[in-house]
């Protein structure tokens, strides 16, 4: 596909959500659809008449000034989108979470308890809280959490909008007589649009020109087969699907080229007229989202069950004797609810995924949706196209075979850098060194002929520098890549200078039937004498050659010469080279009219030489042939090996020849060299796939074969579906419009950012900005790392929350043993206040959890097999970690509290002199602080299931910064007076701090002992 085709991508009915659209923009566009210019029915009118009605010259297009005027008058070329969601609705949506509902219920219970307590207080009596601090703090923290979530969501929308603008669909139109590349939304009625294969059509239009043009209109008419198009005027009005001279917005070019004049844009297009019937499809929740919903549900149910068990147990053992017992029981429910809910989880998860997406973008992998990141780490098969992804998509001449021998050209790609190397004993005959020198001279002549019989162009582009450095220069192929490869090769050996004096005067073009082309050029240095230069398929071109140039002399071609040339063709083809032969014929005159057999028309001029190939392409002189290949990307072989090490199978699917596919697959390590030699067992063609009798046979084939050649787009879809039936998580690359079904069906659809059509990009979940296979493997690595980090902070947050639940539950059930309740007293005393638990969950826990989201890998993520999508994010192994740490955390917290309460198991007798309320406040401060520091140490332990905390202890500087921040916050809540009031804390002595740190360290020690046992078990 040439650059014009590659760049032309349309999405005229793009519909962006969010605040990027203004509130009244929809109404503006709906009004503007009635301002479109009045027209005759374009399908029933001559194209020139349509152009006249639109006030445009089809040969020059609109002027830029007129186009801008029309854009202002008729509006952007896009469908009316749904009104943006108001900001207040987006903010309220942050509260739509089962765990938030649980906290809101806890807030209501807390308020009810406060009102009951105030209503039942004795007149003039002191005690109780002046304000419902628990409820106020819960509400404030929920609001802060909602604000943070709203801000993060807005940033994500802005990032998506920025990406949409950066990759805005564009099309080529004719403006001021020149082809201009503009955004699709700027297309206006009267624009002349240039259409090419793979393009989405930007608006409704009347065709001005069509060459083998076929358009897929299934999205509009339901017709599954692409429709052939022409410029003929219809005799009568016809149904939409039968208007062969019209093209419609949202359909796609599958073949050929064309030009169309835009007749309708935006809501006046056929798609716009049925826009109200188009409904956006809600995306299914990703496995991670489903897992988070599952965890929320489990936590909610667990809290309700625990609360019910505790309340029933209290009712049976102590009963509810007065209103205070009811209040205490309600506060217990609040504490349990707050303890169980990881309030910051959703915001932290979003931030971590967003950071991962940004890192992937830096590696040229653009992930369109945050939650698609997790799927990348699960890929077990990567199905890739060959051209441009596994290879450079830069055809390169590597071999030149001449009558005297064979030479090799170094260098790859379009940069004309390389040299010629003789290949000893590899020619058509066994020749000595002088013949090798002759072969080099003949190779120069061969490449010179190839560069003259050529319609390509090698364009040098200078970058941002001054052009003096090689890195400032890039080379662009304009035209057929095969033809450009000949120009590059000629410039490498200075062959282009050999015929610098020649000027082309005519051409006999290449066609698929002729399989050759020829040009007639005059030698300005030799009185304008004419020469025919030809190139084409060697077996075809040989049929027009009667002579051969050997070592500077021309002699008749023998049957032996022909056999040797055909043998060389077969040898190069077996090595996956595309071969092109070169020949020439001096005409010996400066006038075509003087060439015997050339026909003259009625006006006395030479008739079109394109119709006189029988005369001009005869008696040619064979000079040699070239072997051309699209070389593999040098970095891809290592990436294929890395994917294999990670348990990921690489599958090549290409429309190319089986020999070429096997050669490239062998070079890249997809199959071994033995497999490349035995095509029958390693490569399947589309025809062979069609011959498979049933689905079971198809699945068996795809289970064992990793290279597919000569396949059609429908084969790609079948291969993907077959691999998925076998339980694989499939990544599929695609660029053409026909690849879209396979890309959309794959678990990870990957579109090419450079060569990909807009239709394919819309179907994909990820876009490769550099079209490089290695980028996919790097994205898988990044995806696995992100998934690992998600598991790390989930292990951390949930074990912390379980520790809090066990603390509250154990503190209530063992209150008498621990001294939390005074002997002889009745009712429930909660060990930790709801506000204290909220402080831990939302402030001191949040920073370490975020830091763990960017934690460096603690092991080699590419050394293990892919995760299955059926595997739970939080598996049984992780639940074991969570419960174990939760129990230890609760135990050390309750022991710390017990040490500061009279009547407990480990009581410091000095507290006896202090009243029970003061003891309880200090004990809660101790438990609160121990729990915070235990969780800080738990953050270090949660980085791995079984690896020691001391491995890479200081690798994550952000985690240590987060621990420092959480420590400062805890110091503030212990020593700042107004925070003492809000959170029910008191300043601690130095000795108390030693106790806090010592008890918290038990969590780290217990975790390390458990990991030692796990590692010992694994070694067995």
């Amino acid at each position: 596909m040439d650059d014009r085709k590659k760049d032309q991508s349309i999405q005229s009915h793009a519909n962006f959500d969010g605040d990027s659209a203004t509130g009244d923009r929809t109404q503006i566009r709906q009004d503007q659809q009635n301002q479109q210019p009045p027209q005759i029915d374009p399908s029933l009118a001559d194209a020139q008449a349509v152009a006249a009605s639109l006030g445009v010259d089809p040969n020059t297009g609109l002027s830029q000034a007129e186009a801008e005027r029309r854009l202002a008058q008729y509006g952007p070329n896009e469908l009316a989108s749904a009104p943006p969601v108001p900001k207040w609705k987006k903010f309220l949506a942050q509260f739509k979470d089962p765990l938030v509902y649980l906290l809101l219920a806890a807030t209501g219970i807390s308020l009810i308890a406060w009102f009951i307590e105030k209503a039942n207080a004795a007149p003039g009596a002191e005690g109780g809280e002046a304000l419902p601090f628990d409820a106020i703090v819960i509400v404030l923290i929920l609001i802060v959490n909602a604000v943070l979530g709203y801000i993060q969501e807005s940033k994500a929308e802005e990032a998506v909008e920025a990406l949409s603008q950066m990759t805005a669909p564009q099309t080529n139109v004719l403006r001021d007589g020149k082809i201009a590349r503009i955004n699709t939304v700027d297309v206006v009625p009267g624009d002349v649009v240039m259409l090419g294969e793979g393009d989405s059509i930007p608006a409704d239009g009347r065709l001005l020109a069509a060459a083998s043009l076929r358009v897929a209109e299934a999205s509009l008419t339901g017709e599954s087969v692409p429709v052939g198009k022409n410029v003929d005027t219809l005799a009568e009005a016809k149904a939409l699907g039968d208007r062969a001279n019209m093209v419609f917005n949202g359909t796609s070019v599958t073949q050929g080229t064309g030009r169309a004049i835009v007749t309708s844009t935006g809501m006046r297009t056929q798609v716009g007229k049925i826009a109200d019937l188009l409904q956006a499809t809600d995306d299914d929740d990703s496995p991670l989202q489903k897992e988070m919903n599952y965890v929320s549900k489990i936590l909610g149910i667990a809290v309700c069950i625990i609360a019910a068990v505790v309340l029933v147990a209290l009712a049976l053992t102590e009963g509810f004797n007065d209103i205070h017992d009811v209040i205490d029981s309600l506060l217990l429910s609040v504490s349990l609810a707050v303890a169980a809910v990881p309030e910051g989880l959703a915001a932290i998860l979003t931030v971590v995924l967003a950071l991962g997406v940004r890192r992937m973008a830096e590696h040229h992998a653009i992930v369109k949706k945050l939650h698609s990141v997790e799927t990348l780490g699960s890929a077990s098969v990567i199905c890739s196209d060959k051209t441009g992804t596994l290879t450079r998509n830069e055809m390169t001449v590597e071999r030149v075979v001449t009558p005297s021998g064979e030479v090799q050209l170094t260098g790859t790609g379009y940069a004309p850098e390389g040299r010629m190397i003789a290949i000893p004993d590899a020619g058509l005959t066994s020749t000595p060194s002088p013949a090798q020198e002759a072969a080099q001279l003949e190779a120069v002549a061969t490449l010179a002929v190839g560069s003259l019989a050529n319609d390509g162009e090698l364009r040098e582009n200078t970058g941002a520098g001054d052009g003096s450095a090689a890195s400032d220069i890039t080379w662009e192929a304009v035209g057929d890549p095969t033809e450009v490869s000949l120009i590059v090769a000629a410039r490498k050996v200075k062959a282009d200078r050999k015929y610098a004096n020649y000027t082309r005067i005519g051409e006999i073009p290449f066609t698929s039937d002729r399989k050759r082309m020829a040009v007639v050029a005059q030698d300005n240095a030799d009185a304008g004498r004419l020469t025919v230069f030809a190139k084409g398929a060697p077996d075809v071109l040989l049929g027009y050659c009667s002579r051969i140039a050997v070592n500077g002399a021309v002699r008749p071609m023998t049957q032996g010469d022909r056999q040797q040339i055909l043998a060389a063709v077969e040898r190069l083809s077996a090595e996956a080279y595309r071969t092109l032969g070169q020949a020439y014929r001096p005409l010996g005159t400066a006038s075509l009219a003087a060439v015997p057999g050339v026909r003259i028309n009625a006006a006395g001029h030479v008739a079109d030489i394109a119709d006189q190939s029988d005369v001009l392409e005869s008696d040619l002189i064979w000079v040699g042939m070239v072997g051309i290949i699209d070389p593999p990307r040098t970095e891809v072989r290592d990436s294929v090996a890395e994917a294999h090490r990670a348990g990921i199978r690489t599958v090549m699917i290409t429309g190319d020849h089986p020999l070429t596919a096997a050669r490239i697959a062998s070079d890249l390590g997809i199959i071994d060299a033995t497999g490349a030699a035995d095509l029958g067992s390693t490569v399947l063609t589309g025809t062979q796939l069609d011959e498979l009798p049933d689905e079971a046979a198809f699945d068996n084939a795809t289970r064992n074969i990793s290279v597919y050649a000569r396949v059609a787009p429908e084969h790609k879809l079948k291969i993907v579906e077959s691999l998925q039936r076998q339980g694989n998580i499939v990544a599929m690359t695609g660029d053409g419009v026909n690849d879209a079904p396979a890309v959309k069906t794959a678990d990870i659809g990957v579109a090419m950012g450079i060569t990909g059509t807009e239709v394919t990009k819309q179907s994909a979940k990820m876009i490769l900005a550099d079209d490089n296979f290695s980028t996919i493997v790097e994205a898988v690595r990044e995806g696995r790392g992100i998934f690992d980090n998600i598991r790390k902070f989930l292990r951390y947050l949930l074990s912390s929350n379980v520790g809090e639940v066990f603390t509250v539950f154990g503190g209530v059930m063992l209150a008498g043993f621990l001294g939390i309740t005074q002997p002889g007293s009745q009712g429930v005393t909660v060990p930790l206040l709801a506000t204290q638990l909220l402080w831990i969950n939302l402030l001191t826990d949040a920073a370490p959890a975020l830091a763990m989201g960017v934690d460096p890998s603690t092991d080699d993520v590419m050394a293990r097999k892919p995760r299955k999508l059926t595997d739970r994010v939080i598996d049984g192994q992780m639940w074991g970690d969570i419960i174990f740490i939760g129990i230890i955390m609760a135990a050390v917290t309750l022991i710390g509290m017990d040490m500061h309460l009279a009547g407990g198991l480990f009581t410091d007798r000095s507290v006896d002199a202090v009243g029970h309320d003061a003891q309880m406040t200090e004990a809660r401060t101790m438990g609160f602080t121990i729990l915070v520091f235990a969780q800080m140490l738990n953050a270090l332990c949660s980085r791995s299931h079984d690896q020691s905390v001391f491995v890479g202890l200081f690798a994550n500087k952000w985690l240590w910064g987060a621990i420092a921040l959480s420590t400062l916050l805890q110091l503030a809540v212990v020593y700042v007076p107004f925070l003492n009031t809000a959170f029910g804390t008191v300043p601690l002595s130095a000795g108390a701090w030693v106790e806090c740190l010592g008890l918290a360290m038990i969590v780290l020690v217990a975790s390390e002992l458990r990991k030692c046992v796990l590692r010992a078990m694994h070694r067995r």
Side-chain angles (χ1 to χ4, degrees):
M1 184 181 295
D2 61 49
D3 288 343
R4 184 191 63 76
K5 293 179 183 177
K6 289 188 291 187
D7 291 338
Q8 187 173 348
S9 56
I10 312 302
Q11 188 192 6
S12 60
H13 52 284
N15 182 4
F16 298 110
D17 296 326
D19 295 334
S20 58
T22 57
D24 57 353
R25 186 174 177 181
T26 299
Q27 185 60 47
I28 291 174
R29 284 201 301 270
Q30 290 172 339
D31 293 342
Q32 286 169 333
Q33 70 168 319
N34 298 318
Q35 300 176 16
Q36 300 271 327
Q39 302 167 9
I40 55 178
D41 185 338
S43 67
L44 301 178
D46 179 76
Q48 297 298 325
V50 174
S53 72
L54 289 166
V56 62
D57 182 350
N59 297 316
T60 60
L62 296 173
S63 67
Q64 185 62 33
E66 175 62 15
E68 291 174 357
R69 187 191 69 77
R70 294 190 184 194
L71 182 62
Q73 179 180 358
Y74 303 130
N77 177 36
E78 57 186 352
L79 299 186
S81 60
V85 179
K87 293 182 177 180
W88 64 270
K89 282 190 176 181
K90 289 184 180 181
F91 180 75
L92 290 181
Q94 305 302 316
F95 296 94
K96 292 182 178 179
D97 185 282
L99 297 182
V100 173
Y101 298 155
L102 191 60
L103 285 178
L104 290 174
T107 303
I109 292 172
S110 180
L111 280 172
I112 291 171
W114 181 79
F115 279 118
I116 292 174
E117 186 174 18
K118 295 296 287 184
N120 288 274
E126 294 183 2
E129 296 176 336
L131 293 172
F133 284 111
D134 282 357
I136 292 172
V137 172
I138 293 174
V139 170
L140 286 177
I141 293 180
L142 282 177
I143 291 173
V144 170
N145 193 45
V147 169
L148 291 175
Y150 173 81
I151 292 172
Q152 183 57 41
E153 183 178 301
S154 299
K155 286 183 177 179
E157 287 180 356
E158 290 170 5
V160 170
E161 177 66 16
L163 177 62
S164 299
Q165 294 299 324
M166 183 177 66
T167 60
Q170 295 186 318
T171 189
N172 287 346
V173 297
L174 196 61
R175 296 263 176 99
D176 293 313
K178 298 178 180 179
I179 295 177
R181 190 175 171 210
I182 65 170
N183 290 336
T184 298
V185 295
D186 296 333
V187 171
V188 296
D191 261 328
V192 177
V193 178
M194 318 302 289
L195 300 175
E197 184 175 328
D199 293 340
S200 290
I201 294 171
D204 291 1
R206 172 66 161 87
L207 282 170
L208 299 169
S212 304
L213 186 65
R214 300 185 70 83
V215 177
E217 296 183 341
S219 60
L220 189 62
T221 66
E223 176 61 51
S224 59
V225 179
V227 179
K229 296 291 183 178
N230 58 61
V231 299
D232 299 337
T233 302
L234 300 181
E236 58 183 3
K238 293 189 176 182
L240 206 62
D242 295 324
R243 298 179 193 175
N245 59 1
M246 297 289 295
V247 291
F248 302 105
N249 176 20
T251 59
S252 308
V253 178
T254 61
Q255 180 182 323
T257 59
R259 285 190 303 133
I261 185 169
V262 174
T263 56
S264 301
T265 60
M267 294 299 292
R268 281 294 295 269
T269 63
Q270 294 297 328
V271 169
K273 291 176 182 178
I274 59 172
D276 291 339
L277 302 179
L278 302 178
Q279 298 294 328
T281 302
D282 292 332
D283 293 320
D284 291 336
D285 286 344
S286 72
L288 184 60
Q289 290 172 311
K290 292 176 182 177
E291 185 79 4
M292 292 302 97
N293 293 336
Y294 172 78
V295 170
S296 298
K297 181 179 177 181
I298 291 298
L299 287 176
I301 293 173
V303 167
C304 293
I305 291 174
I306 292 173
V309 168
V310 172
L311 292 176
V312 169
L314 291 173
L316 293 176
T317 56
E318 299 184 11
F320 297 136
N321 299 307
D322 56 28
I323 194 64
H324 294 290
D325 291 347
V326 175
I327 292 172
D328 291 340
S329 299
L330 292 175
L331 292 178
L332 170 62
S333 301
V334 172
S335 294
L336 282 171
V338 172
V341 177
E343 288 82 5
L345 177 58
I348 292 168
L349 184 61
T350 301
V351 172
V352 170
L353 290 174
L355 290 173
V357 167
R358 188 174 70 179
R359 289 197 302 274
M360 286 188 173
E362 292 171 356
H363 290 100
H364 308 293
I366 301 172
V367 179
K368 294 167 65 177
K369 294 184 179 179
L370 289 182
H371 285 273
S372 297
V373 171
E374 59 172 303
T375 315
L376 285 167
S378 307
S380 57
V381 178
I382 301 176
C383 295
S384 177
D385 190 16
K386 174 182 71 69
T387 304
T389 310
L390 297 173
T391 64
R392 295 173 60 91
N393 197 22
E394 295 178 345
M395 299 300 288
T396 303
V397 175
E398 286 190 353
R399 301 289 182 87
V400 184
V401 180
T402 72
S404 296
E406 181 174 349
V407 300
Q408 179 178 348
L409 295 181
T410 63
T412 59
Y414 293 137
E417 300 167 356
R419 61 192 183 92
M420 186 162 50
I421 302 173
I423 301 178
D425 302 321
L428 300 178
T429 60
S430 179
T431 55
S433 181
Q436 294 175 16
E437 295 178 0
Q440 291 182 335
L441 293 175
E442 292 167 358
V444 171
T446 300
L447 294 173
V449 172
S451 65
L452 282 169
N454 203 303
D455 289 326
E457 178 186 350
L458 180 64
R459 188 173 295 168
E460 181 180 356
N461 298 320
T462 303
D466 59 8
S468 59
S471 59
D472 293 335
I473 299 173
T474 58
W475 299 90
E476 177 186 1
V478 180
D480 189 298
T482 300
E483 294 198 310
V484 176
S485 72
L486 289 166
I487 297 174
V488 173
R491 291 187 61 173
K492 287 180 180 179
V493 298
K494 309 297 188 291
D496 55 319
R497 300 177 184 177
K498 186 176 180 65
Y499 295 130
N501 295 321
Y502 279 84
T503 302
R504 181 193 297 198
I505 64 168
E507 176 183 349
I508 305 174
F510 174 91
T511 68
S512 57
D513 293 329
R514 284 168 33 81
K515 295 184 179 180
R516 67 189 188 279
M517 73 164 293
V519 300
V520 179
Q522 65 181 14
D523 187 352
N524 298 319
D526 188 17
R529 293 183 184 275
L530 303 176
T531 302
V532 176
F533 297 99
K535 75 173 189 300
D539 56 334
V540 173
L541 195 61
L542 268 177
Y544 298 88
C545 294
S546 60
R547 295 173 288 172
I548 187 170
V550 183
N551 198 15
V554 176
R555 63 170 174 80
M557 179 177 286
T558 66
Q559 189 61 30
D561 293 331
R562 295 180 188 277
Q563 292 175 352
Q564 287 181 325
I565 291 170
L566 291 174
V569 171
E570 188 173 335
R571 176 172 56 83
L572 289 178
S573 297
E575 297 178 28
Y577 287 105
R578 178 180 181 183
T579 55
L580 276 179
Q582 280 78 29
Y584 73 100
R585 174 191 170 190
L587 295 178
T589 177
S591 172
L592 276 175
V595 177
V598 169
R599 294 181 288 277
I600 307 298
N601 60 26
H605 301 297
V606 174
D608 188 353
I609 67 170
D611 299 324
Q612 304 194 57
S613 61
D614 56 330
V615 176
L616 297 175
E617 292 180 339
S618 61
D619 195 27
L620 296 175
I621 302 169
W622 178 270
V623 289
M625 65 179 171
V626 297
I628 305 172
I629 197 167
D630 180 12
R633 292 178 180 265
T634 54
E635 69 275 16
V636 168
R637 183 176 180 86
D638 290 340
S639 297
V640 170
E642 182 75 348
H644 180 73
R645 189 172 70 89
I648 303 171
R649 176 181 165 203
T650 302
V651 174
M652 177 195 291
I653 307 177
T654 178
D656 215 332
H657 192 279
L659 285 171
T660 304
R663 156 75 187 275
I664 298 299
S666 176
D667 288 348
L668 294 175
I670 297 174
I671 59 176
D672 57 29
T674 304
D678 183 13
L679 292 183
S681 63
T682 56
V683 180
L684 278 180
T685 65
T687 302
Q688 291 171 318
L689 290 172
D690 290 335
E691 293 172 352
L692 294 173
D694 51 32
E695 192 174 272
F698 200 101
D699 289 351
N700 185 60
T702 57
R703 187 177 294 110
N704 300 304
I705 301 297
S706 294
V707 180
Y708 301 88
R710 289 286 190 251
V711 296
E714 57 267 25
H715 294 129
K716 294 184 178 182
L717 178 59
K718 289 180 179 179
I719 291 169
V720 168
E721 291 174 338
S722 174
L723 291 169
Q724 289 175 323
R725 284 196 297 271
Q726 298 165 39
N728 290 296
I729 307 303
V730 182
M732 174 74 202
T733 69
D735 53 6
V737 62
N738 288 330
D739 292 334
V743 169
K744 189 175 184 66
T745 301
D747 301 284
I748 310 163
V750 182
M752 302 296 103
I754 299 174
T755 60
T757 60
E758 190 62 30
V759 176
T760 308
K761 292 178 184 177
Q762 292 171 18
S763 302
K765 293 181 179 178
M766 186 172 82
I767 298 174
L768 298 185
D770 59 358
D771 288 12
N772 192 337
F773 177 86
S774 296
T775 301
I776 304 175
V777 178
E778 189 59 37
V780 170
R781 179 195 300 276
E782 189 68 43
R784 288 189 176 190
I786 292 170
F787 182 78
D788 280 0
N789 286 345
I790 289 173
R791 282 174 55 88
K792 289 175 187 178
F793 74 69
L794 284 176
R795 182 187 291 114
Y796 164 64
L797 287 176
L798 293 179
S799 60
S800 297
N801 281 98
V802 167
E804 294 166 21
V805 170
F806 285 163
T807 298
V808 174
F809 179 74
V812 171
M813 300 305 293
L814 303 174
F817 293 100
L818 299 173
I820 292 177
T821 56
Q822 289 180 295
S825 66
Q826 295 180 337
V828 179
T829 303
V830 290
L832 293 175
L833 300 176
T835 50
Q836 294 172 341
L837 295 170
L838 268 177
W839 176 269
I840 295 172
N841 290 350
L842 276 171
L843 295 179
T844 57
D845 274 4
L850 277 173
M852 293 174 75
V854 294
D855 195 52
S857 296
T858 53
D859 56 8
D860 186 356
V861 297
M862 299 298 277
R864 60 176 182 258
K865 300 299 181 184
R867 179 182 70 92
K868 296 180 180 179
L869 282 183
T870 53
D871 294 344
R872 287 209 173 273
V873 179
I874 307 173
D875 53 20
Q877 194 179 69
M878 186 186 287
W879 278 117
D881 294 342
I882 290 169
I883 293 172
F884 175 79
I885 292 296
I887 291 172
I888 300 298
M889 202 177 291
V892 298
T893 302
L894 292 174
I895 289 172
M897 294 183 66
D898 176 75
M899 293 171 66
H900 288 256
L901 290 169
L905 298 176
F906 307 99
T907 304
D908 179 352
R909 304 317 327 165
S910 63
V911 302
D912 289 341
V914 183
H916 184 266
D917 288 344
Q919 290 178 25
M920 195 63 214
T921 301
E922 184 173 342
R924 279 183 176 142
T925 306
M926 282 290 296
F928 182 23
T929 304
I930 291 169
L931 202 51
V932 167
F933 282 102
Q935 293 188 11
M936 295 303 98
L937 294 169
N938 182 35
L940 297 174
C941 299
S942 296
R943 295 175 66 231
S944 176
H945 165 66
D946 57 7
Q947 196 171 67
S948 172
V949 71
F950 299 104
V951 176
L953 180 60
F954 299 103
N956 189 346
K957 61 181 180 181
W958 296 106
L959 180 56
W960 284 101
I963 291 173
L965 175 62
S966 297
T967 301
L968 290 175
L969 289 172
Q970 186 61 22
L971 288 172
V973 84
V974 170
Y975 289 108
V976 175
F978 79 89
L979 292 178
N980 290 153
T981 303
F983 291 93
T985 58
V986 293
L988 296 176
S989 65
W993 279 106
V994 172
E995 293 173 0
C996 287
L997 294 174
L999 287 167
M1001 284 294 295
I1002 294 175
V1003 172
L1004 188 147
V1005 173
S1007 175
E1008 283 296 288
L1009 290 173
R1010 182 170 186 269
K1011 289 180 179 181
C1012 285
V1013 173
L1014 290 174
R1015 290 196 296 271
M1017 293 173 63
H1018 291 164
R1019 284 194 292 269
R1020 291 181 182 179

